[in-house]
Amino acid sequence: MFRDYDPRVKILIVMILTGVVVFDNNLVTQGLIVFLTFILAFIVGVNVINTLYKMRRFLTLLFSIIIIQSLFVQGGHRYLYIGAITLISEKGITLGIAYVFRVIVIIMSGAIISTSSMRNTMQGMVQLKLPYELALMTSIGVRFLPILMGEVRNTHVSMELRGIDVNELHIKRRLELIGRLFVPIVYSTLYRAKSLSESIDMRGYIIGEKRSSYYHLTLRKHDIALGVIVIIVALVILNRNYGGFI
Amino acid sequence: MAFIELKGIDYHINKKNKKLNMLFENLNLAIEGNEFITIVGANGIGKTTLSKLIIGVLKPDKGQVLLENINIEDYKRYEIGRKIGYLFQNPEIQLFNAKIYEELMFAYEFGEGISDEVRKRYDTVIKDLSLEKAVNTPIKQLSQGEKQRVAIGTILMNNPKFIILDEPTVGLNQELIDDLRVILLKIYHKGIGVLLISHDNEFVKSLPTKVLTLSKGGRISV
Ligand SMILES: Nc1ncnc2c1ncn2[C@@H]1O[C@H](COP(=O)(O)OP(=O)(O)O)[C@@H](O)[C@H]1O
Ligand SMILES: [Mg+2]
């Protein structure tokens, strides 16, 4: 069960999972998809516990978002309220949970894709006849993400070191301050993109030109099996909701 | 009591596989508030890591960092920033505004407000950094050297006791390096302590600084 799966199967899995979880707004369907995501991630070799552990701060943030969202979205049963003010409503909490489900699936999808080497994933995208530009952008994105994350961290630290006591600020000013963080972040992203494209040009690289490669991926039995199972399970889950098309 | 003290610092890059990734083991260092000190060492030896431990951005796995005899972890980040200025290798990432005036007043605009004293300090900083001609140019359009000076300016506006510069000569031409030397000397002669991180030997030799060499495992030698 735990072998190397073809990157194309992983791409298929990820497209199905994210597609359903983003466009479906039935909580039970989404919950099932989250469950399926965890199982598939485990099968292709993601260290699920470790990934969740790394996400823990982010998850805390997500739960705060649920609470805040349910303050603004009212409707349905009122679970928690003070007088006329509803703190947690049925509709608010439903939307919040849906949001968390989506984010979890998207993050786990990233983890699923990254169990293949970038070389393999790119080759898979090319053989799937996806546009070469897309494959190239993905591989460059993955390569530069850590560098950009490092710069974002440095930017944040440098703002804190400016000596502004953020806790003293009114919430509006605080948000304004966060907005300013984007100035250097956007700048350095654009700057990296520009110097990267220059260096690609300098090497005489033409994007999309027919490139030959001895390297070729072939689907094996277990790849096909996993792909088919995923499609079937996804259809069964959707069938529950939309009914009667199987 | 030194201004900054590092006591028995262990630091691992990879927190999971500690044996393999020991960057520093029992690193000790004391820096006085008014000294000019330079740390040299090969690429990847841990100079940037060491400087980030000093300002509390990274936390040691063992040992402690003291700033004015208080554990760095007991400070808020903004309190550290008012004592120690930090110039990142790439100044662009620490500039948030369109014009120099806004950039240098940033912390006051969002903080205690702009007093006469702050305004006076602004004039001095602009003069010390020879930024008079640049004040009306959008920061985006300034040269690399000018941007670096604006970043130094934002640090000086905080009236820090100490300033750390991470490889400030990288990417500068000779003329800009000469300008930077003048600026560093000005800062030092105002009584602000300087920790320079550099592997530009020529630049280091031209400065009145104590030189420490960082080598493998976090050993520091004079
Ligand atoms: N975020 C990181 N993740 C993994 N390794 C890192 C990270 N940052 C630095 N390192 C490693 O730590 C070591 C020291 O890095 P650094 O302090 O930047 O060195 P220097 O500034 O002396 O060039 C290097 O071997 C580098 O590869
Ligand atoms: Mg460095």
Side-chain angles (χ1 to χ4, degrees):
Chain A
M1 190 152 107
F2 302 101
R3 353 173 157 224
D4 272 343
Y5 285 94
D6 190 290
R8 283 170 291 175
V9 176
K10 293 176 192 169
I11 293 170
L12 175 79
I13 291 175
V14 162
M15 290 204 297
I16 291 176
L17 294 176
T18 49
V20 175
V21 89
V22 168
F23 292 111
D24 192 290
N25 46 23
N26 178 292
L27 215 50
V28 181
T29 312
Q30 287 189 331
L32 288 169
I33 290 291
V34 170
F35 185 64
L36 183 63
T37 306
F38 281 130
I39 292 175
L40 289 169
F42 181 66
I43 290 175
V44 302
V46 174
N47 188 337
V48 177
I49 305 287
N50 196 1
T51 310
L52 284 178
Y53 182 70
K54 278 190 201 149
M55 279 162 58
R56 67 193 185 284
R57 281 226 186 98
F58 197 60
L59 287 174
T60 330
L61 181 73
L62 279 181
F63 283 115
S64 344
I65 290 175
I66 297 193
I67 302 297
I68 292 170
Q69 194 166 32
S70 60
L71 280 178
F72 292 105
V73 181
Q74 312 269 304
H77 188 76
R78 296 159 78 204
Y79 290 116
L80 186 66
Y81 53 90
I82 308 170
I85 307 167
T86 308
L87 293 180
I88 299 177
S89 69
E90 190 180 338
K91 201 165 167 217
I93 206 86
T94 312
L95 279 177
I97 292 172
Y99 184 66
V100 172
F101 279 171
R102 285 180 184 143
V103 173
I104 288 178
V105 169
I106 288 168
I107 291 175
M108 292 314 283
S109 294
I112 289 174
I113 292 287
S114 65
T115 50
S116 289
S117 72
M118 207 53 234
R119 170 83 185 83
N120 277 353
T121 304
M122 253 184 101
Q123 181 69 28
M125 289 171 94
V126 170
Q127 283 181 224
L128 276 175
K129 301 275 188 289
L130 291 173
Y132 189 78
E133 286 84 346
L134 191 67
L136 185 70
M137 280 192 294
T138 313
S139 76
I140 290 174
V142 170
R143 165 78 179 70
F144 276 87
L145 200 61
I147 297 177
L148 281 175
M149 289 305 286
E151 284 193 349
V152 170
R153 253 195 305 276
N154 283 345
T155 295
H156 188 217
V157 166
S158 83
M159 187 182 266
E160 291 178 318
L161 287 175
R162 281 295 179 91
I164 304 167
D165 181 359
V166 180
N167 288 327
E168 286 281 295
L169 291 179
H170 188 265
I171 182 81
K172 216 179 117 223
R173 297 286 275 168
R174 223 186 280 189
L175 290 175
E176 204 184 323
L177 204 60
I178 293 170
R180 299 290 187 90
L181 275 174
F182 287 96
V183 175
I185 291 170
V186 170
Y187 184 91
S188 68
T189 310
L190 292 178
Y191 178 79
R192 292 247 167 247
K194 184 165 157 282
S195 47
L196 187 72
S197 73
E198 279 167 4
S199 80
I200 288 174
D201 283 346
M202 296 246 286
R203 292 178 197 183
Y205 191 93
I206 301 167
I207 294 170
E209 197 190 23
K210 200 79 189 151
R211 213 157 282 283
S212 45
S213 166
Y214 286 116
Y215 189 67
H216 200 80
L217 296 169
T218 25
L219 284 175
R220 287 152 300 172
K221 277 190 207 120
H222 64 269
D223 293 320
I224 295 168
L226 186 65
V228 170
I229 292 171
V230 170
I231 292 174
I232 292 173
V233 174
L235 286 176
V236 169
I237 292 177
L238 284 175
N239 190 49
R240 258 196 53 267
N241 197 8
Y242 298 104
F245 65 79
I246 298 181
Chain B
M1 176 193 98
F3 180 62
I4 297 163
E5 273 180 278
L6 284 79
K7 287 183 169 173
I9 302 285
D10 285 4
Y11 187 81
H12 310 85
I13 300 168
N14 185 332
K15 306 290 177 203
K16 264 182 254 140
N17 196 338
K18 296 206 166 174
K19 285 250 163 54
L20 275 178
N21 295 289
M22 177 73 94
L23 192 60
F24 303 141
E25 188 173 10
N26 192 22
L27 182 153
N28 293 287
L29 178 65
I31 300 172
E32 299 298 334
N34 55 3
E35 67 181 332
F36 192 155
I37 198 165
T38 299
I39 293 182
V40 297
N43 238 330
I45 207 74
K47 303 182 295 297
T48 300
T49 306
L50 177 60
S51 67
K52 288 189 174 169
L53 283 164
I54 291 176
I55 54 170
V57 170
L58 297 175
K59 297 196 182 353
D61 296 312
K62 213 173 125 197
Q64 50 182 348
V65 178
L66 302 178
L67 173 60
E68 294 184 325
N69 232 10
I70 297 169
N71 194 326
I72 197 80
E73 292 180 27
D74 294 338
Y75 287 92
K76 295 264 179 340
R77 199 60 61 71
Y78 73 88
E79 295 171 324
I80 297 170
R82 290 175 188 177
K83 291 178 191 288
I84 303 179
Y86 191 98
L87 181 75
F88 285 84
Q89 206 166 345
N90 177 3
E92 254 121 31
I93 63 136
Q94 58 192 113
L95 302 176
F96 307 95
N97 296 274
K99 288 283 186 66
I100 290 182
Y101 180 81
E102 298 161 22
E103 193 65 66
L104 296 204
M105 292 304 190
F106 189 51
Y108 295 96
E109 191 207 325
F110 276 89
E112 61 207 43
I114 299 169
S115 62
D116 283 345
E117 194 205 327
V118 169
R119 222 167 260 127
K120 222 185 275 162
R121 195 180 302 154
Y122 171 82
D123 292 335
T124 317
V125 167
I126 292 290
K127 206 166 122 261
D128 283 347
L129 299 176
S130 321
L131 282 170
E132 296 97 334
K133 288 204 191 99
V135 286
N136 290 317
T137 315
I139 289 180
K140 274 206 309 274
Q141 293 170 19
L142 295 177
S143 72
Q144 193 66 14
E146 285 167 328
K147 281 180 189 163
Q148 185 182 57
R149 274 182 275 153
V150 176
I152 294 174
T154 65
I155 290 168
L156 294 179
M157 285 303 290
N158 267 349
N159 215 0
K161 295 188 181 156
F162 201 85
I163 166 170
I164 300 176
L165 305 97
D166 190 5
E167 313 241 16
T169 63
V170 170
L172 298 187
N173 63 28
Q174 194 54 49
E175 196 184 333
L176 289 175
I177 291 178
D178 291 337
D179 292 347
L180 181 65
R181 178 184 302 114
V182 173
I183 287 168
L184 282 189
L185 289 173
K186 260 187 213 166
I187 291 173
Y188 176 53
H189 288 137
K190 279 177 192 285
I192 299 173
V194 179
L195 171 61
L196 171 68
I197 290 168
S198 183
H199 60 232
D200 184 342
N201 281 330
E202 214 168 302
F203 182 63
V204 174
K205 268 190 223 139
S206 72
L207 291 164
T209 174
K210 178 167 137 190
V211 181
L212 300 178
T213 305
L214 181 65
S215 40
K216 214 159 171 286
R219 267 174 300 117
I220 292 179
S221 48
V222 182

